[in-house]
Amino acid sequence: MLKASKKPSHRDWQVQTAKARFSEVFRLARTEGPQRITRQGKEAVVMISDEYYGRLVLKPRQPKSIVQFFRESPLVGVELDLERDKDTGRDITL
């Protein structure tokens, strides 16, 4: 909880203050990042820009196929040495 002597940061707003200063909260959400709005110090919502929302929600979490996964891999084009010494087995005493 915030102490009476401490000013709330630009990222934390009480709902009444956020209503009265909506334009400022809106601007800060677009320029500075997410703005947290609380009611009675418990319930909270976060105002974020549409761009930030798009990155969080609309971006696919997994590739559509295994082929797409390998095409988008950061290792595309890396040369791998897949040759190894011929295994001659091992001697076993029976």
Side-chain angles (χ1 to χ4, degrees), residues 35-55:
Q35 303 294 305
R36 186 171 181 261
I37 303 168
T38 62
R39 183 186 321 184
Q40 299 175 351
K42 296 178 183 176
E43 298 176 296
V45 297
V46 177
M47 180 185 286
I48 58 175
S49 69
D50 187 50
E51 178 185 350
Y52 192 88
Y53 176 78
R55 288 192 310 239

Side-chain angles (χ1 to χ4, degrees), residues 59-78:
K59 183 178 179 183
R61 299 283 182 211
Q62 295 180 337
K64 294 178 184 172
S65 68
I66 190 75
V67 173
Q68 181 184 3
F69 173 78
F70 285 112
R71 283 184 181 153
E72 295 175 359
S73 168
L75 299 176
V76 169
V78 172

Side-chain angles (χ1 to χ4, degrees), residues 1-59:
M1 293 204 126
L2 296 172
K3 295 180 183 177
S5 62
K6 185 177 177 185
K7 280 185 160 180
S9 71
H10 287 291
R11 293 180 176 256
D12 292 306
W13 303 84
Q14 291 183 357
V15 72
Q16 299 87 347
T17 307
K19 283 182 190 179
R21 297 170 64 183
F22 181 80
S23 293
E24 182 180 357
V25 177
F26 181 90
R27 180 183 59 78
L28 289 170
R30 294 191 39 78
T31 60
E32 301 293 324
Q35 303 294 305
R36 186 171 181 261
I37 303 168
T38 62
R39 183 186 321 184
Q40 299 175 351
K42 296 178 183 176
E43 298 176 296
V45 297
V46 177
M47 180 185 286
I48 58 175
S49 69
D50 187 50
E51 178 185 350
Y52 192 88
Y53 176 78
R55 288 192 310 239
L56 290 175
V57 176
L58 303 177
K59 183 178 179 183

